[in-house]
Structures are given as structure tokens and as C-alpha cells.
């Protein structure tokens, strides 16, 4: 059963472990897709679009503060078991991913906010640059904590509008960090071991609570899709507005990861999306961000020139 779930999950999330297999081993899923060729991604929703594809540009003027509990019906978000998570890490050719290890019963779980059910953490991975943008601007990084509804198999979850919950945390970059900005430092020490496709580590204990944004009461949430094939419209997104921080040097490491020059899906057209925020929340506006228009122009040498780019291409309010 576990193997089946793993294989389905590996296929659906496109966390392609093919290159990490022993030489000569055969597997029946070898997804062929790349971030440079979105028009040919597998999955009808990916190619033709759907009603609620992700990622999107979140326009803060359109965000619904949910005073009437239309979408955020279940009280505060409740993260349980995130302070000590046993994970294995892999460079799968598309991103670096840390997956929960051990019995499902000890995996962290999330509920509350827009989530009626309990969701189990499956894995955490990175996008650079961010996939979502806020008022047309992007962050250097976005972390995705992928959860599956605990009462469903992955296969079942992919067919339900609320089958998955993905918590998204933006990563910002500074030359040096203050003491209170060290949230990602524990995680980042493992990245140099995962720079080549197929690299793996296991038995790592992570305090993921630190990575979940400094303010977990303030977030955007909407019903959307996976941002990789097959783009299933099965995701409740929870996107924290306060970023965590990385140093310039830590961020540059991702430029050495063998996944090509970037790994974000392009922004999708707004159709049936409605973005909510908790009623009482005062949303944090990005203060140091990358203009999306600038991103395309500079992305090819982005990592080699982070410092230059940050000083030329950012806007500080
Ligand atoms: Zn992702």
C-alpha cells in the first residue's frame, strides 16, 4: 500500500526519482516535463487550463477579509508535531525535497482555518523564484509544505477539491541576517549535500515550526491546483504573508542545484479564484521584493548576481 501511495505521489507531484534509482532498475513512471516547456506538460488541466489553476498573482485589493466565515470557517490554524520532524532529503531533478519519514502516525498534521479535515504533512520543497506573487511582485523563494487529507489515499485526495493542503512560505534574501531571522539556518545546512540530481540524505531531524513564517495568523487562502503536472484542482492553498529569510550565500546554493535556471510555473489566469484572508488580519505588504517584469530579464544570471540584482532590482518601500 505504502509503495503504491509513494509511486502515485511521486508521479503526481512529479518528484521524479527516476534519476536516483540504481543503474539498470526500471520504473514505470518517467515523467517528461520541464519548466521550459509548460505547453507540453502531461495532464489536461496543465495544457488547457481549468477553473482554478495555480499559481496566481494575488491582488491585495481583491482579497476578501472573511468576516462572514465563507471560507475560513474552522478557527485558527493548528500545526501539530512540526517542531521535530524526521525527514529524508532528495534532489529529484526538479527541486530539493524533504519528505516525512517513519510511521504516518508520527507525521505532523494541520487543521483549522479553511481546513475542515486533518491533513498530514508529506513533504516540503522549494521553488526559486516564488510561484505566487503579491501585487505583481515575487520573492526570491517559495517553500511548499504539501499535506494530504488524512482520511484519504493520495489517489482519492487528488480527485477532491480539498484533497490537499499546501502551506506556502516566501523566502527573502539579505546579505546578512539578524538573530531573529535565523529560521532557515538549520534547514540550509543540509542543502550543500543535495546539489546534484539523485543526491539523498536520510534520518534528518528538522524543526519545521521555525520555517512556517514568523506570523502564522496572517495568510491568504484560496482553492486552486497543483503547480506541477498534472495540475489537479485539488489544493487548498494557505500562503503566509510574512517571509522567512535566507542569506545571500544560502540562496546562491540553489543556483548550483541541477534543475536548470528556474523552477516556477508561470502565473495562471484568474477565473474562479477567490482569495480570502482571516477577518481580523492586517496583511503584511512586501517590503523587499522582485518585480516580476524584471525577473525574466535577469533570471539567466540571477544566482551569480544576487547581490547586484537585489540592489538594482528591488523596491524598498
Ligand atoms: Zn511546489
Amino acid at each position: 500500500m505504502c509503495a503504491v501511495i509513494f509511486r502515485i505521489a511521486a508521479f503526481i507531484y512529479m518528484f521524479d526519482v527516476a534519476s536516483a534509482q540504481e543503474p539498470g532498475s526500471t520504473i514505470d513512471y518517467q515523467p517528461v516535463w520541464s519548466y521550459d516547456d509548460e505547453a507540453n506538460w502531461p495532464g489536461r488541466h496543465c495544457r488547457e487550463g481549468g477553473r482554478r489553476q495555480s499559481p496566481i498573482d494575488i491582488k491585495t485589493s481583491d482579497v476578501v477579509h472573511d468576516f462572514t466565515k465563507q471560507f475560513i470557517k474552522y478557527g485558527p490554524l493548528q500545526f501539530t508535531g512540526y517542531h521535530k520532524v524526521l525527514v529524508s532529503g532528495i534532489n529529484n531533478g526538479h527541486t530539493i525535497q524533504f519528505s516525512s519519514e517513519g510511521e504516518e502516525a508520527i507525521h505532523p498534521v494541520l487543521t483549522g482555518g479553511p481546513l475542515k479535515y486533518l491533513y498530514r504533512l508529506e513533504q516540503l520543497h522549494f521553488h526559486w523564484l516564488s510561484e505566487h506573487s503579491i501585487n505583481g511582485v515575487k520573492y526570491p523563494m517559495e517553500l511548499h509544505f504539501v499535506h494530504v487529507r488524512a482520511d484519504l489515499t493520495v489517489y482519492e485526495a487528488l480527485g477532491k477539491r480539498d484533497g490537499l493542503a499546501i502551506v506556502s512560505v516566501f523566502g527573502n534574501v539579505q546579505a546578512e541576517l539578524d538573530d531573529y531571522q535565523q529560521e532557515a539556518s538549520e534547514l540550509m545546512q543540509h542543502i550543500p549535500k543535495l546539489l546534484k540530481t539523485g543526491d539523498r540524505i536520510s534520518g534528518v531531524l528538522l524543526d519545521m515550526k521555525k520555517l512556517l513564517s514568523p506570523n502564522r495568523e496572517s495568510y491568504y487562502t484560496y482553492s486552486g491546483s497543483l503547480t506541477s503536472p498534472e495540475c489537479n484542482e485539488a489544493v487548498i492553498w494557505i500562503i503566509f504573508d510574512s517571509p522567512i529569510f535566507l542569506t545571500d550565500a544560502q540562496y546562491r546554493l540553489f543556483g548550483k542545484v541541477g534543475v536548470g535556471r528556474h523552477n516556477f510555473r508561470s502565473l495562471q489566469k484568474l477565473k474562479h479564484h477567490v482569495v480570502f484572508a482571516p477577518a481580523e488580519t492586517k496583511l503584511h505588504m512586501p517590503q523587499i521584493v522582485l518585480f516580476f517584469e524584471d525577473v525574466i530579464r535577469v533570471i539567466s544570471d540571477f544566482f551569480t548576481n544576487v547581490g547586484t540584482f537585489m540592489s538594482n532590482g528591488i523596491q524598498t518601500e
Side-chain angles (χ1 to χ4, degrees):
M1 188 63 172
C2 269
V4 171
I5 290 173
F6 173 72
R7 288 160 78 90
I8 292 169
F11 177 76
I12 295 300
Y13 301 144
M14 289 297 119
F15 297 139
D16 173 11
V17 296
S19 48
Q21 301 293 310
E22 294 299 320
S25 69
T26 57
I27 51 174
D28 54 7
Y29 58 91
Q30 294 230 5
V32 179
W33 64 280
S34 95
Y35 283 101
D36 291 326
D37 190 21
E38 290 182 32
N40 288 311
W41 279 12
R44 183 173 55 83
H45 279 327
C46 297
R47 290 191 303 275
E48 298 169 14
R51 291 149 64 94
R52 297 184 310 279
Q53 287 291 293
S54 300
I56 54 169
D57 178 41
I58 294 171
K59 293 186 174 50
T60 52
S61 57
D62 293 341
V63 171
V64 178
H65 286 260
D66 201 3
F67 287 97
T68 57
K69 295 192 167 57
Q70 285 181 74
F71 195 70
I72 305 174
K73 302 176 182 175
Y74 306 102
L77 290 173
Q78 295 174 47
F79 291 91
T80 308
Y82 287 73
H83 61 290
K84 207 189 264 186
V85 188
L86 184 64
V87 296
S88 54
I90 182 169
N91 178 327
N92 62 25
H94 294 296
T95 185
I96 289 177
Q97 178 185 323
F98 291 93
S99 301
S100 310
E101 274 192 340
E103 292 293 313
E104 283 189 347
I106 63 164
H107 292 190
V109 288
L110 166 64
T111 191
L115 306 177
K116 180 177 179 181
Y117 301 96
L118 199 64
Y119 290 75
R120 188 173 288 126
L121 180 69
E122 291 282 320
Q123 45 98 342
L124 156 70
H125 63 264
F126 305 81
H127 295 272
W128 54 91
L129 303 164
S130 68
E131 296 210 292
H132 289 89
S133 61
I134 309 290
N135 295 336
V137 293
K138 286 203 169 206
Y139 281 93
M141 182 160 278
E142 186 170 335
L143 285 70
H144 285 164
F145 297 76
V146 181
H147 304 73
V148 176
R149 231 174 87 176
D151 59 323
L152 302 177
T153 65
V154 173
Y155 181 77
E156 289 167 340
L158 287 163
K160 295 253 196 266
R161 184 166 167 169
D162 60 357
L164 305 173
I166 304 184
V167 172
S168 170
V169 179
F170 292 119
N172 210 341
V173 177
Q174 282 182 187
E176 290 182 18
L177 304 182
D178 297 329
D179 287 346
Y180 67 90
Q181 293 173 328
Q182 299 292 335
E183 301 97 334
S185 56
E186 182 190 355
L187 174 71
M188 288 302 152
Q189 69 187 4
H190 301 293
I191 303 299
K193 294 170 243 168
L194 295 167
L195 296 182
K196 291 198 299 295
T197 297
D199 282 351
R200 287 168 178 264
I201 54 173
S202 61
V204 176
L205 265 183
L206 283 181
D207 181 353
M208 288 203 186
K209 209 142 201 170
K210 287 186 189 159
L211 301 169
L212 286 172
S213 174
N215 180 0
R216 295 195 284 274
E217 271 130 48
S218 181
Y219 57 86
Y220 305 101
T221 180
Y222 74 97
S223 202
S225 79
L226 291 175
T227 60
S228 54
E230 296 183 358
C231 307
N232 306 54
E233 295 190 333
V235 180
I236 296 182
W237 285 93
I238 296 170
I239 302 168
F240 290 120
D241 59 318
S242 296
I244 60 169
F245 288 86
L246 285 72
T247 64
D248 213 78
Q250 288 168 343
Y251 189 57
R252 274 171 213 266
L253 281 176
F254 288 89
K256 297 178 183 167
V257 175
V259 296
R261 60 199 178 119
H262 69 80
N263 64 357
F264 57 87
R265 188 186 189 195
S266 58
L267 290 164
Q268 301 296 300
K269 286 199 189 84
L270 288 176
K271 290 185 180 171
H272 290 244
H273 308 72
V274 183
V275 181
F276 294 90
E280 309 296 340
T281 297
K282 186 175 182 308
L283 291 162
H284 166 276
M285 289 298 129
Q287 299 218 330
I288 303 175
V289 289
L290 313 173
F291 275 107
F292 187 64
E293 292 75 24
D294 291 339
V295 166
I296 301 306
R297 181 169 54 78
V298 299
I299 194 154
S300 58
D301 55 5
F302 186 70
F303 287 100
T304 50
N305 292 300
V306 175
T308 314
F309 180 59
M310 293 302 283
S311 59
N312 292 334
I314 62 173
Q315 181 194 20
T316 306
E317 285 182 349

